[in-house]
Amino acid sequence: MSTTSDKALGGRRAQAARNDEVILEAARAVFLDDPKAPIAAVAERAGVGISALYRRYAGKEDLLRQLCHDGLRRYVAEAEAALAESDDWSAFTGFLARVVDADVHSLTVHLAGAFTPTEEMGRDAMRAGELARALVDRAHASGRLRADVVVPDLGLLLEACAAVRVPDPERTRQLRRRQLAILLAGLSAVPDADPLPGPPPAAGEFDWRWRRRE
């Protein structure tokens, strides 16, 4: 049987979870506008005291790391769900659409180099790469993806969609989906298509962005 203290503890945990969600949403909005904004701006936007924020995050770096890791976990989850689908091309395009809708990549360029990644993030990043490769391999096997598309091309595609942003969130979503459709048309295999120009992006070519900047 639950006691009054148990209920109080559960209530405090629920409130802490709500505060954390509000803080992360506020942090995402604040740092998308200005990656150099102080952590106090996050507390102000979230409508919580600075002490409530510091109880959850020791500092700005911890908050930035959490935001990026959450995005990475979402990417992994969407990729795993896509690989469970039977149609290889639909799995590939559906994965990209869901990641674009989730706005996973908006913070990548903004926050890269602003914190030191953890070992867990490194493992999740490797897992994300493995899943992306599996999706690309399946899309190639379907005959729908042009043969000269490589896994790192996906990151550039997703960043291009994330760069589309207008004040209205719904209009942003519409424009990103439109841009994704245009880019997917370019990725689709077409008989006698000219090869893509230049050497393809290499694995790890953009890792320099994640080196900690002082």
Side-chain angles (χ1 to χ4, degrees):
M1 184 176 65
S2 62
T3 65
T4 301
S5 60
D6 289 337
K7 292 178 180 178
L9 181 59
R12 286 195 295 272
R13 287 173 175 166
Q15 183 60 48
R18 286 192 293 271
N19 283 346
D20 195 39
E21 183 176 350
V22 169
I23 288 169
L24 289 173
E25 288 178 358
R28 186 179 186 85
V30 166
F31 295 134
L32 276 176
D33 287 340
D34 179 11
K36 296 182 179 180
I39 198 169
V42 176
E44 181 179 358
R45 187 180 183 96
V48 301
I50 192 69
S51 59
L53 194 154
Y54 276 119
R55 279 197 296 271
R56 180 64 181 86
Y57 300 99
K60 181 177 176 179
E61 182 175 346
D62 285 349
L63 187 51
L64 298 179
R65 186 164 33 238
Q66 183 68 49
L67 284 172
C68 282
H69 202 174
D70 285 349
L72 180 57
R73 291 187 182 110
R74 178 66 181 271
Y75 184 99
V76 168
E78 295 294 356
E80 289 175 339
L83 286 171
E85 299 178 23
S86 58
D87 185 284
D88 294 337
W89 182 248
S90 294
F92 177 72
T93 59
F95 160 73
L96 292 174
R98 290 192 298 274
V99 171
V100 167
D101 284 347
D103 202 13
V104 166
H105 280 68
S106 282
L107 289 171
T108 301
V109 175
H110 285 73
L111 301 185
F115 60 88
T116 302
T118 63
E119 291 185 4
E120 184 182 5
M121 289 183 73
R123 290 192 295 270
D124 286 344
M126 290 183 62
R127 174 63 174 160
E130 293 167 356
L131 294 168
R133 179 168 298 282
L135 285 167
V136 168
D137 287 346
R138 285 181 53 178
H140 278 141
S142 75
R144 300 286 302 277
L145 182 66
R146 52 184 300 156
D148 48 0
V149 172
V150 297
V151 174
D153 284 317
L154 298 192
L156 297 177
L157 178 150
L158 292 167
E159 286 185 23
C161 291
V164 177
R165 184 177 299 277
V166 295
D168 180 6
E170 176 57 24
R171 184 58 178 150
T172 294
R173 188 194 70 80
Q174 293 171 351
L175 290 171
R176 285 177 176 173
R177 278 297 189 102
R178 178 181 175 87
Q179 183 70 11
L180 176 60
I182 293 171
L183 293 170
L184 282 173
L187 295 183
S188 299
V190 177
D192 301 321
D194 291 334
L196 293 173
E205 185 170 355
F206 299 96
D207 289 355
W208 60 269
R209 295 189 302 196
W210 294 97
R211 296 176 194 143
R212 178 64 186 274
R213 296 188 300 268
E214 297 301 334

